[in-house]
Coordinates of all heavy atoms in Angstrom, one line a residue:
M49 N 5.6 -6.3 16.8 CA 5.3 -4.9 16.5 C 5.4 -4.7 15.0 O 6.2 -5.4 14.4 CB 6.2 -3.9 17.2 CG 7.7 -4.1 16.9 SD 8.8 -3.0 17.7 CE 8.3 -1.5 16.8
R50 N 4.7 -3.7 14.5 CA 4.8 -3.5 13.0 C 5.4 -2.2 12.7 O 5.3 -1.2 13.5 CB 3.3 -3.5 12.5 CG 2.7 -4.9 12.5 CD 1.4 -4.8 11.9 NE 0.5 -4.1 12.8 CZ -0.8 -3.7 12.4 NH1 -1.2 -4.0 11.3 NH2 -1.5 -3.1 13.3
L51 N 6.1 -2.1 11.6 CA 6.7 -0.9 11.2 C 6.7 -0.8 9.7 O 6.7 -1.8 9.0 CB 8.1 -0.7 11.8 CG 9.2 -1.7 11.4 CD1 10.4 -0.9 10.9 CD2 9.5 -2.6 12.5
V52 N 6.8 0.4 9.2 CA 6.9 0.7 7.8 C 7.9 1.8 7.5 O 8.0 2.7 8.3 CB 5.5 1.2 7.2 CG1 5.6 1.5 5.8 CG2 4.4 0.1 7.4
V53 N 8.7 1.6 6.5 CA 9.7 2.6 6.1 C 9.3 3.1 4.7 O 9.1 2.3 3.8 CB 11.1 2.1 6.1 CG1 12.1 3.2 5.6 CG2 11.6 1.6 7.4
D54 N 9.1 4.4 4.7 CA 8.8 5.0 3.4 C 10.1 5.1 2.6 O 10.9 6.0 2.8 CB 8.2 6.4 3.6 CG 7.8 7.1 2.3 OD1 8.3 6.6 1.2 OD2 7.1 8.1 2.4
L55 N 10.3 4.1 1.7 CA 11.5 4.0 1.0 C 11.7 5.1 -0.1 O 12.8 5.3 -0.6 CB 11.7 2.6 0.3 CG 11.7 1.5 1.4 CD1 11.7 0.1 0.6 CD2 13.0 1.6 2.2
N56 N 10.6 5.8 -0.4 CA 10.8 7.0 -1.3 C 11.4 8.1 -0.5 O 12.0 9.0 -1.1 CB 9.4 7.4 -1.8 CG 8.8 6.4 -2.8 OD1 9.6 5.8 -3.6 ND2 7.6 6.1 -2.7
R57 N 11.1 8.1 0.8 CA 11.7 9.2 1.6 C 13.1 8.9 2.2 O 13.9 9.8 2.4 CB 10.7 9.4 2.8 CG 10.9 10.6 3.6 CD 9.9 10.6 4.7 NE 8.7 11.3 4.3 CZ 8.0 12.1 5.1 NH1 8.4 12.4 6.3 NH2 6.9 12.7 4.7
C58 N 13.3 7.6 2.4 CA 14.6 7.1 3.0 C 15.7 7.6 2.1 O 15.7 7.4 0.9 CB 14.6 5.6 3.1 SG 16.1 4.9 3.6
Q59 N 16.7 8.2 2.8 CA 17.9 8.6 2.1 C 19.2 7.8 2.4 O 20.3 8.1 2.0 CB 18.2 10.1 2.5 CG 17.1 11.1 2.1 CD 17.0 11.2 0.6 OE1 17.9 11.3 -0.1 NE2 15.7 11.1 0.1
G60 N 19.0 6.7 3.1 CA 20.1 5.8 3.3 C 21.1 6.3 4.3 O 22.3 5.9 4.2
Y61 N 20.6 7.1 5.3 CA 21.5 7.6 6.3 C 22.0 6.5 7.2 O 23.0 6.8 8.0 CB 20.9 8.7 7.0 CG 20.7 10.0 6.2 CD1 19.4 10.4 6.0 CD2 21.7 10.7 5.7 CE1 19.1 11.6 5.2 CE2 21.5 11.8 4.9 CZ 20.2 12.3 4.7 OH 20.0 13.4 3.9
A62 N 21.3 5.4 7.3 CA 21.7 4.3 8.2 C 21.6 4.5 9.6 O 22.2 3.7 10.4 CB 23.0 3.8 7.7
Q63 N 21.0 5.6 10.1 CA 20.8 5.8 11.5 C 20.1 4.6 12.1 O 20.4 4.1 13.2 CB 20.1 7.1 11.8 CG 20.8 8.3 11.3 CD 22.0 8.7 12.2 OE1 22.1 8.2 13.3 NE2 22.8 9.5 11.6
C64 N 19.0 4.2 11.4 CA 18.2 3.1 11.9 C 19.0 1.8 12.0 O 18.9 1.1 13.0 CB 17.0 2.9 11.1 SG 17.4 2.6 9.3
A65 N 19.8 1.5 11.0 CA 20.6 0.3 11.0 C 21.7 0.3 12.2 O 22.0 -0.7 12.7 CB 21.3 0.1 9.7
F66 N 22.1 1.5 12.5 CA 23.1 1.7 13.6 C 22.4 1.4 15.0 O 22.9 0.8 15.8 CB 23.7 3.1 13.6 CG 24.7 3.3 14.7 CD1 25.9 2.7 14.7 CD2 24.3 4.2 15.7 CE1 26.8 3.0 15.8 CE2 25.2 4.5 16.7 CZ 26.4 3.8 16.8
L67 N 21.2 2.0 15.1 CA 20.5 1.9 16.4 C 19.7 0.6 16.6 O 19.5 0.2 17.8 CB 19.5 3.1 16.5 CG 20.2 4.5 16.6 CD1 19.2 5.6 16.4 CD2 20.8 4.6 18.0
A68 N 19.3 0.0 15.6 CA 18.5 -1.3 15.7 C 18.9 -2.2 14.6 O 18.1 -2.5 13.7 CB 17.0 -1.0 15.6
P69 N 20.1 -2.7 14.7 CA 20.7 -3.6 13.6 C 19.9 -4.9 13.5 O 20.0 -5.6 12.4 CB 22.1 -3.8 14.0 CG 22.2 -3.5 15.5 CD 21.1 -2.5 15.7
E70 N 19.1 -5.3 14.5 CA 18.4 -6.5 14.4 C 17.2 -6.4 13.5 O 16.6 -7.4 13.0 CB 17.8 -6.9 15.8 CG 18.9 -7.1 16.9 CD 19.3 -5.9 17.6 OE1 18.9 -4.7 17.1 OE2 20.1 -6.0 18.6
V71 N 16.8 -5.1 13.2 CA 15.6 -4.9 12.5 C 15.9 -4.2 11.1 O 15.3 -4.5 10.1 CB 14.6 -3.9 13.3 CG1 13.4 -3.6 12.5 CG2 14.3 -4.6 14.6
F72 N 16.9 -3.3 11.1 CA 17.3 -2.6 9.9 C 18.7 -3.0 9.5 O 19.6 -3.1 10.3 CB 17.2 -1.1 10.1 CG 15.9 -0.6 10.7 CD1 15.8 -0.4 12.0 CD2 14.9 -0.2 9.8 CE1 14.6 0.1 12.5 CE2 13.7 0.3 10.3 CZ 13.5 0.4 11.7
S73 N 18.9 -3.1 8.2 CA 20.3 -3.3 7.7 C 20.4 -2.6 6.3 O 19.4 -2.5 5.6 CB 20.6 -4.8 7.6 OG 19.8 -5.4 6.7
M74 N 21.6 -2.3 6.0 CA 21.9 -1.6 4.7 C 22.5 -2.7 3.8 O 23.3 -3.5 4.2 CB 22.9 -0.5 4.9 CG 22.5 0.6 5.9 SD 20.9 1.4 5.5 CE 21.3 2.1 3.9
H75 N 22.0 -2.7 2.6 CA 22.5 -3.5 1.5 C 23.1 -2.6 0.5 O 22.3 -1.9 -0.2 CB 21.5 -4.5 1.0 CG 21.2 -5.6 1.9 ND1 21.2 -6.9 1.5 CD2 21.0 -5.7 3.2 CE1 21.0 -7.7 2.5 NE2 20.9 -7.0 3.6
G76 N 24.4 -2.5 0.4 CA 25.0 -1.6 -0.5 C 25.0 -0.2 0.1 O 24.9 -0.1 1.3
E77 N 25.2 0.8 -0.7 CA 25.4 2.1 -0.2 C 24.2 2.8 0.4 O 24.2 3.4 1.4 CB 26.0 3.0 -1.3 CG 27.3 2.6 -1.8 CD 28.4 3.3 -1.1 OE1 28.3 4.5 -0.9 OE2 29.4 2.7 -0.8
E78 N 23.0 2.6 -0.3 CA 21.8 3.3 0.1 C 20.6 2.5 0.2 O 19.5 3.0 0.5 CB 21.6 4.4 -0.9 CG 22.6 5.5 -0.9 CD 22.3 6.6 -1.8 OE1 21.3 6.5 -2.5 OE2 23.1 7.6 -1.9
S79 N 20.7 1.2 0.0 CA 19.5 0.3 0.0 C 19.2 -0.2 1.4 O 20.0 -1.0 2.0 CB 19.8 -0.8 -1.0 OG 18.7 -1.7 -1.0
L80 N 18.1 0.1 1.9 CA 17.7 -0.3 3.3 C 16.8 -1.6 3.2 O 15.9 -1.7 2.4 CB 16.9 0.8 4.0 CG 16.3 0.4 5.3 CD1 17.5 0.3 6.3 CD2 15.3 1.5 5.8
V81 N 17.1 -2.5 4.0 CA 16.3 -3.7 4.2 C 15.8 -3.7 5.7 O 16.6 -3.4 6.5 CB 17.1 -5.0 3.9 CG1 16.2 -6.2 4.1 CG2 17.5 -5.0 2.4
Y82 N 14.6 -4.1 5.9 CA 14.1 -4.1 7.3 C 13.0 -5.1 7.5 O 12.4 -5.6 6.5 CB 13.5 -2.7 7.7 CG 12.3 -2.3 7.0 CD1 11.0 -2.5 7.6 CD2 12.3 -1.8 5.6 CE1 9.9 -2.1 6.9 CE2 11.1 -1.5 5.0 CZ 9.9 -1.6 5.6 OH 8.7 -1.3 5.0
N83 N 12.8 -5.5 8.7 CA 11.8 -6.4 9.1 C 10.5 -5.7 9.5 O 10.5 -5.0 10.5 CB 12.3 -7.3 10.3 CG 11.2 -8.3 10.7 OD1 10.2 -8.4 10.1 ND2 11.6 -9.0 11.7
P84 N 9.5 -5.8 8.7 CA 8.2 -5.0 9.0 C 7.5 -5.5 10.2 O 6.6 -4.9 10.7 CB 7.4 -5.1 7.7 CG 7.9 -6.4 7.0 CD 9.4 -6.5 7.4
R85 N 7.8 -6.7 10.6 CA 7.2 -7.3 11.8 C 8.3 -7.6 12.8 O 8.6 -8.8 13.1 CB 6.4 -8.5 11.5 CG 5.2 -8.2 10.6 CD 4.2 -9.3 10.5 NE 3.1 -8.9 9.7 CZ 1.9 -8.4 10.3 NH1 1.9 -8.2 11.6 NH2 0.9 -8.1 9.5
A86 N 8.9 -6.6 13.4 CA 10.0 -6.7 14.3 C 9.5 -7.4 15.6 O 8.4 -7.3 16.0 CB 10.6 -5.4 14.6
E87 N 10.5 -8.1 16.3 CA 10.2 -8.7 17.5 C 9.9 -7.6 18.6 O 10.5 -6.6 18.6 CB 11.4 -9.5 18.0 CG 12.0 -10.4 16.9 CD 11.4 -11.8 17.0 OE1 11.0 -12.2 18.1 OE2 11.3 -12.4 15.9
E88 N 9.0 -8.0 19.5 CA 8.7 -7.0 20.6 C 9.9 -6.6 21.4 O 10.0 -5.5 21.9 CB 7.6 -7.7 21.5 CG 6.2 -7.7 21.0 CD 5.7 -6.3 20.7 OE1 5.9 -5.4 21.5 OE2 5.1 -6.1 19.6
E89 N 10.8 -7.5 21.5 CA 12.0 -7.2 22.3 C 12.8 -6.0 21.7 O 13.7 -5.4 22.4 CB 12.9 -8.4 22.5 CG 13.5 -8.9 21.2 CD 14.2 -10.2 21.3 OE1 13.5 -11.2 21.1 OE2 15.4 -10.3 21.6
H90 N 12.6 -5.7 20.5 CA 13.3 -4.6 19.8 C 12.6 -3.3 19.8 O 13.0 -2.3 19.2 CB 13.7 -5.0 18.4 CG 14.5 -6.3 18.3 ND1 15.6 -6.5 19.1 CD2 14.4 -7.3 17.5 CE1 16.1 -7.7 18.8 NE2 15.4 -8.2 17.9
R91 N 11.5 -3.3 20.5 CA 10.6 -2.1 20.5 C 11.3 -0.8 20.8 O 11.2 0.2 20.2 CB 9.4 -2.3 21.4 CG 8.4 -1.2 21.5 CD 7.2 -1.6 22.3 NE 6.4 -2.5 21.6 CZ 5.4 -2.1 20.8 NH1 5.1 -0.9 20.7 NH2 4.6 -3.0 20.2
E92 N 12.1 -0.8 21.9 CA 12.8 0.4 22.4 C 13.8 0.9 21.3 O 13.9 2.1 21.0 CB 13.5 0.1 23.7 CG 14.0 1.4 24.3 CD 14.6 1.2 25.7 OE1 14.2 0.2 26.4 OE2 15.5 1.9 26.1
K93 N 14.6 -0.1 20.8 CA 15.5 0.3 19.8 C 14.9 0.9 18.5 O 15.4 1.8 17.9 CB 16.4 -0.9 19.3 CG 17.4 -1.4 20.4 CD 18.2 -2.5 19.9 CE 19.3 -2.9 20.8 NZ 20.1 -4.0 20.3
V94 N 13.8 0.3 18.1 CA 13.1 0.8 16.9 C 12.5 2.2 17.2 O 12.6 3.1 16.4 CB 11.9 -0.2 16.5 CG1 11.0 0.5 15.5 CG2 12.5 -1.5 16.0
G95 N 12.1 2.4 18.4 CA 11.6 3.7 18.8 C 12.7 4.8 18.7 O 12.5 5.9 18.2
R96 N 13.9 4.4 19.1 CA 15.1 5.3 18.9 C 15.4 5.6 17.5 O 15.7 6.7 17.1 CB 16.3 4.7 19.6 CG 16.2 4.7 21.1 CD 17.4 4.1 21.7 NE 17.2 3.9 23.2 CZ 18.0 3.2 23.9 NH1 19.1 2.6 23.4 NH2 17.7 3.0 25.2
A97 N 15.3 4.5 16.6 CA 15.5 4.7 15.2 C 14.5 5.6 14.6 O 14.8 6.4 13.7 CB 15.5 3.3 14.5
V98 N 13.2 5.5 15.0 CA 12.2 6.4 14.5 C 12.6 7.8 14.7 O 12.5 8.7 13.8 CB 10.8 6.0 15.1 CG1 9.8 7.1 14.8 CG2 10.3 4.7 14.7
V99 N 13.0 8.1 16.0 CA 13.3 9.5 16.3 C 14.6 9.9 15.6 O 14.7 11.1 15.3 CB 13.5 9.5 17.9 CG1 14.0 10.9 18.3 CG2 12.1 9.2 18.6
A100 N 15.5 9.0 15.4 CA 16.8 9.4 14.9 C 16.8 9.6 13.4 O 17.6 10.3 12.8 CB 17.9 8.4 15.2
C101 N 15.8 9.0 12.7 CA 15.8 9.1 11.2 C 15.7 10.6 10.8 O 14.7 11.2 11.1 CB 14.7 8.3 10.7 SG 14.5 8.4 8.9
P102 N 16.7 11.1 10.0 CA 16.7 12.5 9.7 C 15.5 12.9 8.8 O 15.2 14.1 8.8 CB 18.0 12.6 8.9 CG 18.8 11.4 9.3 CD 17.9 10.3 9.6
V103 N 15.0 12.0 8.1 CA 13.9 12.3 7.1 C 12.5 11.8 7.6 O 11.5 11.8 6.9 CB 14.2 11.8 5.7 CG1 15.4 12.6 5.2 CG2 14.4 10.3 5.7
R104 N 12.5 11.2 8.8 CA 11.3 10.7 9.4 C 10.6 9.7 8.5 O 9.4 9.8 8.3 CB 10.3 11.8 9.7 CG 10.9 12.9 10.6 CD 11.1 12.3 12.0 NE 11.9 13.3 12.8 CZ 11.3 14.3 13.5 NH1 10.1 14.5 13.4 NH2 12.1 15.1 14.2
A105 N 11.4 8.7 8.0 CA 10.8 7.8 7.1 C 10.2 6.6 7.7 O 9.5 5.8 7.1 CB 11.9 7.3 6.1
I106 N 10.4 6.4 9.0 CA 10.0 5.2 9.7 C 8.7 5.5 10.5 O 8.6 6.4 11.3 CB 11.0 4.7 10.7 CG1 12.4 4.6 10.0 CG2 10.6 3.3 11.3 CD1 13.5 4.3 11.0
T107 N 7.7 4.6 10.2 CA 6.4 4.7 10.9 C 6.2 3.4 11.7 O 6.4 2.4 11.2 CB 5.2 4.9 10.0 OG1 5.5 6.1 9.2 CG2 3.9 5.1 10.7
T108 N 5.9 3.5 13.0 CA 5.7 2.3 13.8 C 4.7 2.5 14.9 O 4.4 3.7 15.2 CB 7.1 1.9 14.4 OG1 6.9 0.8 15.2 CG2 7.7 3.1 15.2
D109 N 4.3 1.4 15.5 CA 3.5 1.5 16.7 C 4.3 1.6 18.0 O 3.8 1.5 19.1 CB 2.5 0.4 16.7 CG 3.1 -1.0 16.8 OD1 4.4 -1.0 16.8 OD2 2.4 -2.0 16.8
A110 N 5.7 1.6 17.8 CA 6.6 1.5 19.0 C 6.4 2.7 19.9 O 6.7 2.6 21.1 CB 8.0 1.5 18.5
L111 N 5.9 3.8 19.5 CA 5.8 5.0 20.3 C 4.3 5.3 20.7 O 4.0 6.4 21.1 CB 6.4 6.2 19.7 CG 7.9 6.1 19.3 CD1 8.4 7.3 18.6 CD2 8.7 5.9 20.6
G112 N 3.5 4.2 20.7 CA 2.2 4.4 21.1 C 1.1 4.5 20.0 O 0.0 4.7 20.3
G113 N 1.5 4.4 18.8 CA 0.5 4.4 17.7 C 1.2 4.7 16.4 O 2.2 5.6 16.4
V114 N 0.8 4.1 15.4 CA 1.5 4.3 14.1 C 1.3 5.7 13.7 O 0.2 6.3 13.7 CB 0.9 3.4 13.0 CG1 1.3 3.7 11.6 CG2 1.2 1.9 13.3
G115 N 2.4 6.3 13.3 CA 2.4 7.7 12.9 C 2.5 8.7 14.1 O 2.6 9.9 13.9
D116 N 2.5 8.2 15.3 CA 2.6 9.0 16.5 C 4.0 9.2 16.9 O 4.7 8.3 17.3 CB 1.9 8.3 17.6 CG 1.2 9.2 18.6 OD1 1.2 10.4 18.3 OD2 0.8 8.8 19.7
R117 N 4.5 10.4 16.7 CA 5.9 10.7 17.0 C 6.0 11.8 18.0 O 5.2 12.7 18.0 CB 6.7 11.1 15.8 CG 6.7 10.0 14.7 CD 7.7 10.3 13.7 NE 7.8 9.2 12.7 CZ 7.3 9.2 11.5 NH1 6.7 10.2 11.1 NH2 7.5 8.1 10.7
P118 N 7.1 11.8 18.8 CA 7.3 12.9 19.8 C 7.5 14.2 19.1 O 8.2 14.2 18.0 CB 8.5 12.5 20.6 CG 9.0 11.3 20.0 CD 8.1 10.7 18.9
A119 N 7.0 15.3 19.6 CA 7.1 16.6 18.9 C 8.5 17.1 18.9 O 8.9 17.8 18.0 CB 6.2 17.6 19.6
E120 N 9.2 16.7 20.0 CA 10.6 17.2 20.1 C 11.6 16.2 19.7 O 12.7 16.1 20.3 CB 10.8 17.6 21.6 CG 9.9 18.6 22.2 CD 10.0 19.9 21.4 OE1 11.1 20.3 21.0 OE2 9.0 20.6 21.2
A121 N 11.4 15.5 18.7 CA 12.3 14.4 18.2 C 13.6 15.1 17.7 O 13.6 16.1 17.1 CB 11.7 13.6 17.1
G122 N 14.7 14.4 18.1 CA 16.0 14.9 17.7 C 16.4 14.6 16.3 O 15.6 13.9 15.6
Q123 N 17.5 15.0 15.8 CA 17.9 14.8 14.4 C 19.1 13.9 14.4 O 20.1 14.2 13.9 CB 18.2 16.1 13.8 CG 17.1 17.0 13.5 CD 16.1 16.4 12.4 OE1 16.6 15.9 11.4 NE2 14.9 16.5 12.6
G124 N 19.0 12.8 15.2 CA 20.1 11.8 15.2 C 21.2 12.1 16.2 O 22.2 11.4 16.3
T125 N 20.9 13.1 17.1 CA 21.9 13.4 18.1 C 21.5 12.6 19.4 O 20.4 12.1 19.5 CB 21.9 14.9 18.5 OG1 20.6 15.3 18.8 CG2 22.4 15.7 17.3
S126 N 22.4 12.4 20.3 CA 22.2 11.7 21.5 C 21.2 12.4 22.4 O 21.3 13.7 22.5 CB 23.5 11.5 22.2 OG 23.2 10.9 23.5
D127 N 20.3 11.7 23.0 CA 19.4 12.3 23.9 C 19.7 11.9 25.3 O 19.0 12.1 26.3 CB 17.9 11.9 23.6 CG 17.7 10.4 23.7 OD1 18.6 9.7 24.1 OD2 16.5 10.0 23.5
G128 N 20.9 11.4 25.5 CA 21.4 11.0 26.8 C 21.2 9.6 27.2 O 21.6 9.2 28.3
R129 N 20.5 8.8 26.4 CA 20.2 7.4 26.7 C 21.3 6.5 26.0 O 21.7 6.9 25.0 CB 18.8 7.0 26.3 CG 17.9 7.4 27.4 CD 16.5 6.9 27.1 NE 15.9 7.7 26.0 CZ 14.8 7.3 25.3 NH1 14.2 6.2 25.6 NH2 14.3 8.1 24.4
Ligands
LIG142 S1 17.6 6.4 9.3 FE1 15.9 6.9 7.9 S2 16.9 7.7 6.1 FE2 18.4 6.5 7.2 S3 18.3 4.5 6.4 FE3 17.0 4.5 8.2 S4 15.0 5.0 7.3 FE4 16.5 5.5 5.8

């Protein structure tokens, strides 16, 4: 699966690194490093990271199409899963 993080938008909140550490990691205080071609097995985790990112910096095909995000996405709070 493919993903892109808009690093101009990313504020280094690290929600993605917490939810999908196999794909996203923080280097230093605010610098994000990620795998733009994540393994398919991480699709669900990446989808959670997309929804959790407070600034919606992550774009991926994990939710059915690049740029396609759920309208009721949370702001990093638990959705019960
Ligand atoms: S959750 Fe969003 S703002 Fe935070 S590090 Fe990840 S991409 Fe950046």
Side-chain angles (χ1 to χ4, degrees):
M49 62 175 292
R50 290 180 293 170
L51 63 132
V52 175
V53 177
D54 183 344
L55 295 176
N56 291 319
R57 194 180 269 222
C58 172
Q59 298 295 314
Y61 291 118
Q63 296 288 343
C64 54
F66 178 73
L67 291 167
E70 300 87 350
V71 179
F72 305 95
S73 61
M74 303 304 295
H75 282 228
E77 296 268 317
E78 295 182 357
S79 179
L80 175 69
V81 176
Y82 69 99
N83 179 1
R85 294 195 177 266
E87 311 269 332
E88 282 299 319
E89 67 190 86
H90 302 314
R91 179 172 288 270
E92 187 175 337
K93 286 184 176 181
V94 170
R96 289 180 193 168
V98 168
V99 172
C101 177
V103 294
R104 306 289 171 84
I106 308 168
T107 303
T108 178
D109 60 2
L111 299 177
V114 171
D116 208 14
R117 297 191 175 107
E120 301 298 324
Q123 292 288 320
T125 56
S126 170
D127 62 1
R129 276 188 283 169

